[in-house]
């Protein structure tokens, strides 16, 4: 599976981003949960680019974040732009 990449094209007054989401689309909540022990001892968990990570837009991720919070970990979310402009994620998981 090839790596994801984003190329940023800039001009004097605007910019455009061209992305390939190969590994980004392949990454799932299950992958994250399986590696959760790597976060042992951590105090903060950050999710960046949520709307680009379709495989994380699940109830499994919502439950995972709840468990982290119950364990005392802080959590932050950088959603990035939602191309669908729904702003609630797949299956409305952010509502």
């Amino acid at each position: 599976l090839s790596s994801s990449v984003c190329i940023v094209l800039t001009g004097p007054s605007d910019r455009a981003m061209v992305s390939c989401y190969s590994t980004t689309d392949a990454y799932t909540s299950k992958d994250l949960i399986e590696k959760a022990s790597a976060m042992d001892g951590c105090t903060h968990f950050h999710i960046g680019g949520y709307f680009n990570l379709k495989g994380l837009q699940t109830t499994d991720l919502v439950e995972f974040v709840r468990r982290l919070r119950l364990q005392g970990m802080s959590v932050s979310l950088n959603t990035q732009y939602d191309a669908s402009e729904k702003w609630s994620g797949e299956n409305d998981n952010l509502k």
Side-chain angles (χ1 to χ4, degrees):
L1 190 61
S2 56
S3 295
S4 297
V5 66
C6 179
I7 299 170
V8 180
L9 308 169
T10 61
S13 62
D14 203 0
R15 69 174 187 250
M17 297 177 191
V18 181
S19 300
C20 168
Y21 296 108
S22 55
T23 52
T24 304
D25 285 345
Y27 194 67
T28 67
S29 298
K30 181 180 175 187
D31 297 319
L32 177 63
I33 293 164
E34 286 177 356
K35 302 292 183 186
S37 64
M39 295 189 299
D40 288 351
C42 293
T43 59
H44 183 77
F45 178 65
H46 177 74
I47 302 167
Y50 178 79
F51 289 120
N52 294 328
L53 296 162
K54 301 289 186 207
L56 293 186
Q57 297 180 31
T58 66
T59 54
D60 289 340
L61 179 71
V62 173
E63 291 304 315
F64 179 71
V65 167
R66 282 188 180 127
R67 284 195 304 274
L68 294 178
R69 302 265 304 140
L70 286 171
Q71 295 169 10
M73 191 178 291
S74 61
V75 177
S76 60
L77 174 67
N78 178 349
T79 60
Q80 302 290 32
Y81 179 72
D82 181 8
S84 74
E85 296 193 345
K86 289 181 7 183
W87 299 102
S88 58
E90 297 292 315
N91 301 312
D92 295 325
N93 284 310
L94 290 185
K95 281 192 172 182

